[in-house]
Amino acid sequence: MVPAFYTSCVEVINKWEERLKNERSCEVDVWPYLQTLSADAISRTAFGSSYEEGKRVFELQREQAELVMQLIQSVYIPGSRYIPTKKNKRMKDIDREVKAIIRGIIDKRMITMKAGEQRQETTGNLLVWTMILLAQHKNWQARAREEVLLACGEKKPDIHELNHLKIVTMIFNEVLRLYPPLATLARMIHEETKLGDITLPAGSILRLHTMFLHHDRDIWGDDVKDFNPERFSEGVLKATKGQASYFPFGGGPRICIGQNFALLEAKLALAMILQHFSFDLSPSYSHAPHSVITLQPQFGAHLILHKVQEI
Ligand code: HEM
């Protein structure tokens, strides 16, 4: 897996280095690159030689997510999804194309790839919020870089070194607290259920707002809104004081099965970025987290990149 992640990271690093070839620093919207990075990583690991087909699936799913959000945000008219509007037709076409590609891949017995189909974007979300927060909190950026350079030097990080990055892990935990890629979890109730005094009929949909829990002052304390990775210095259990209040990867039987995959990929990507670049927020960055299924920076992530030797 690490070689596949590495190939994807090198591609992004090379593109950014190319931008810096003749300049000391330059402005880059890192968000599209980080989206592509996580999609590429999963395409390479899950799809193997079906990499290009995998990429097409992710492009289609990004378009589908936009259409789904437009539907959720519009007035609901019962039965309207059966009307052959342009949008409804496009959504059906996308669904058909994605299914056909996946069917083709499965028929070729290359993979069973339910995981990759859904979740490529979340790692990109984690990385982009991490870069934004580290651009705002240069002390943490410096601490993370120091840790990476001490553990891996300037060479390609290996899996053992990545597993021992403590500051980077604390940073990711705090980023996932403040900006959980999946801000809500939903469950449908299959039979009438009593919850305290409330009776919920079968078919009700319950939503757990991870975002609210992660931003609850009673749980996290007065610095709940601050970026403070230190709170995770002794692990998640200590930070949450043993309460079930931290769900970036969900919980229970449906907990994310890709979390180790995601964290390993994110660690490798961040380690390589820190080895090569230092970064600040650009004046053109506009802070606007918004949910298009996953939590994204609505207007991109404009950062000023510098080559690390020239800090
Ligand atoms: C930072 C990155 C990620 C985050 C924050 C994340 C978050 C989550 C969350 C919150 C759930 C639970 C959803 C629910 O309960 O309704 C979930 C489920 C899942 N995730 Fe992830 N995920 C990430 C990356 C990945 C990756 C990279 C993969 C695949 C390689 C993946 C595969 C899955 C699968 C297959 C499920 C469904 C498990 C089930 O229903 O049994 N995730 N993820």
Side-chain angles (χ1 to χ4, degrees):
M1 238 156 48
V2 174
F5 291 161
Y6 183 73
T7 310
S8 306
C9 294
V10 167
E11 271 179 19
V12 172
I13 302 277
N14 285 347
K15 281 182 193 151
W16 291 352
E17 281 196 322
E18 183 64 25
R19 300 276 301 269
L20 280 167
K21 208 164 68 185
N22 302 316
E23 293 176 82
R24 289 176 62 82
S25 56
C26 71
E27 180 178 307
V28 177
D29 177 4
V30 297
W31 173 228
Y33 292 94
L34 297 174
Q35 274 178 304
T36 310
L37 185 150
S38 49
D40 281 5
I42 195 146
S43 297
R44 285 203 165 86
T45 46
F47 291 90
S49 54
S50 296
Y51 167 68
E52 286 301 332
E53 288 161 299
K55 269 177 69 172
R56 176 73 186 139
V57 170
F58 295 136
E59 280 162 19
L60 287 166
Q61 283 185 324
R62 213 170 288 154
E63 187 184 344
Q64 192 78 313
E66 291 281 351
L67 292 167
V68 168
M69 286 315 288
Q70 287 171 23
L71 268 188
I72 291 173
Q73 284 160 4
S74 59
V75 178
Y76 176 67
I77 304 165
S80 56
R81 74 191 172 103
Y82 299 106
I83 301 170
T85 60
K86 213 169 142 194
K87 258 186 215 158
N88 284 346
K89 278 177 69 189
R90 180 65 192 140
M91 287 175 76
K92 278 211 182 96
D93 286 348
I94 292 176
D95 191 51
R96 220 171 290 131
E97 190 177 343
V98 168
K99 282 183 180 146
I101 295 173
I102 293 171
R103 191 70 259 161
I105 294 170
I106 292 171
D107 286 350
K108 280 187 263 165
R109 281 192 255 152
M110 286 179 179
I111 57 158
T112 55
M113 45 70 68
K114 180 171 182 290
E117 170 198 334
Q118 299 280 332
R119 307 290 175 176
Q120 43 80 25
E121 186 128 311
T122 42
T123 317
N125 301 122
L126 168 60
L127 278 169
V128 77
W129 293 116
T130 302
M131 286 195 77
I132 290 168
L133 284 161
L134 292 184
Q136 284 170 317
H137 301 270
K138 295 289 293 274
N139 55 333
W140 282 102
Q141 189 185 136
R143 283 181 72 177
R145 181 173 302 102
E146 196 180 282
E147 180 181 57
V148 167
L149 292 177
L150 205 69
C152 326
E154 287 171 17
K155 63 169 184 49
K156 173 181 167 183
D158 73 33
I159 188 160
H160 302 288
E161 293 158 355
L162 294 173
N163 281 335
H164 284 95
L165 296 177
K166 184 178 171 196
I167 302 283
V168 169
T169 305
M170 284 157 54
I171 289 172
F172 281 151
N173 282 336
E174 182 67 339
V175 174
L176 289 168
R177 183 185 72 81
L178 287 168
Y179 299 98
L182 297 176
T184 63
L185 304 178
R187 292 290 181 275
M188 184 187 277
I189 298 173
H190 292 290
E191 51 189 54
E192 190 179 282
T193 305
K194 262 187 95 62
L195 197 65
D197 294 337
I198 307 168
T199 304
L200 300 161
S204 311
I205 293 180
L206 280 189
R207 281 193 177 274
L208 171 72
H209 283 264
T210 314
M211 188 63 118
F212 292 164
L213 264 183
H214 288 190
H215 288 247
D216 187 330
R217 191 174 294 274
D218 292 340
I219 295 169
W220 298 95
D222 285 342
D223 66 347
V224 63
K225 299 276 177 234
D226 300 345
F227 175 68
N228 176 18
E230 205 62 60
R231 71 177 92 241
F232 286 101
S233 60
E234 292 177 62
V236 170
L237 210 64
K238 253 300 185 4
T240 54
K241 302 177 195 91
Q243 302 174 88
S245 52
Y246 184 66
F247 290 107
F249 291 102
R254 308 305 298 263
I255 196 165
C256 176
I257 55 165
Q259 62 176 288
N260 290 337
F261 181 105
L263 289 173
L264 184 63
E265 179 193 339
K267 276 185 189 165
L268 179 64
L270 184 63
M272 289 178 66
I273 290 169
L274 290 166
Q275 282 174 325
H276 290 82
F277 308 102
S278 134
F279 40 94
D280 298 288
L281 271 194
S282 158
S284 54
Y285 172 71
S286 177
H287 191 66
H290 89 143
S291 238
V292 187
I293 310 293
T294 63
L295 194 65
Q296 312 182 0
Q298 184 169 8
F299 306 115
H302 297 83
L303 304 183
I304 311 280
L305 299 185
H306 318 268
K307 282 186 204 151
V308 127
Q309 312 85 286
E310 293 174 12
I311 304 166

